[in-house]
């Protein structure tokens, strides 16, 4: 068998995975596309290992060993990635990448009229809450 067949198949798999990463909005489908790209790399590793082992008498099959290592790393990556996606889905209610914000960000303050903010004029009452979270906390304590 020629080396071109698995290399072309690997290139097609990798391009399909790359399209999935760039075009998909669901986080689980993005993770599946990353796995497809890693499998394309594994196919290349094994194909080149077999192709190079025909010339040498004693081989270590380092391409196959590296492919097994890559499979183990990919399994760990998918486990952690899926746990993160499920935690985000439980908290936010969606796995759509476009609708998600950075988890470190809080809710945006309501700046209507520019009063009460940094550098702005003071509002009628100086102890008025400036964020939605502070307003909710003030309503709950009242």
């Amino acid at each position: 068998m020629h080396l071109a067949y698995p290399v072309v198949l690997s290139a097609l798999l990798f391009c399909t995975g790359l399209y999935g990463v760039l075009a998909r909005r669901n986080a689980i489908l993005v993770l599946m596309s990353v796995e497809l790209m890693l499998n394309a790399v594994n196919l290349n590793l094994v194909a080149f290992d077999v192709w190079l082992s025909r010339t040498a008498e004693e081989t270590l099959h380092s391409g196959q060993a590296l492919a097994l290592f890559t499979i183990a790393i990919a399994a760990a990556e998918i486990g952690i990635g899926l746990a993160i996606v499920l935690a985000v889905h439980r908290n936010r209610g969606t796995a759509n990448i476009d609708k998600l914000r950075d988890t470190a960000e809080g809710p945006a303050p309501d700046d209507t009229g520019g009063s009460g903010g940094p550098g702005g004029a003071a509002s009628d009452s100086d102890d008025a809450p400036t964020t939605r979270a502070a307003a909710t906390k003030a309503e709950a304590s009242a």
Side-chain angles (χ1 to χ4, degrees):
M1 181 168 78
H2 297 287
L3 182 62
Y5 297 132
V7 170
V8 168
L9 178 63
S10 175
L12 289 174
L13 282 174
F14 192 85
C15 289
T16 304
L18 186 64
Y19 173 75
V21 167
L22 296 176
R24 299 292 178 202
R25 294 193 170 129
N26 191 345
I28 295 175
L29 292 177
V30 170
L31 287 174
M32 288 174 57
S33 298
V34 169
E35 286 293 319
L36 197 61
M37 291 180 356
L38 286 172
N39 285 332
V41 171
N42 286 338
L43 180 62
N44 259 342
L45 285 171
V46 172
F48 277 101
D49 181 49
V50 168
W51 183 63
L52 291 173
S53 69
R54 290 183 182 178
T55 59
E57 291 179 9
E58 292 184 20
T59 59
L60 296 174
H61 297 292
S62 58
Q64 294 177 15
L66 192 57
L68 287 175
F69 181 72
T70 306
I71 289 170
I73 295 297
E77 172 255 336
I78 265 301
I80 293 171
L82 192 58
I84 291 171
V85 168
L86 287 176
V88 167
H89 182 69
R90 283 183 187 162
N91 289 337
R92 303 283 175 101
T94 183
N96 191 347
I97 294 174
D98 291 337
K99 292 183 180 177
L100 297 178
R101 285 184 168 178
D102 189 12
T103 56
E105 289 183 12
D110 292 333
D111 289 334
T112 56
S115 63
S123 62
D124 293 331
S125 68
D126 291 341
D127 59 335
T130 57
T131 63
R132 235 183 280 162
T136 307
K137 188 184 272 187
E139 288 175 8
S141 66

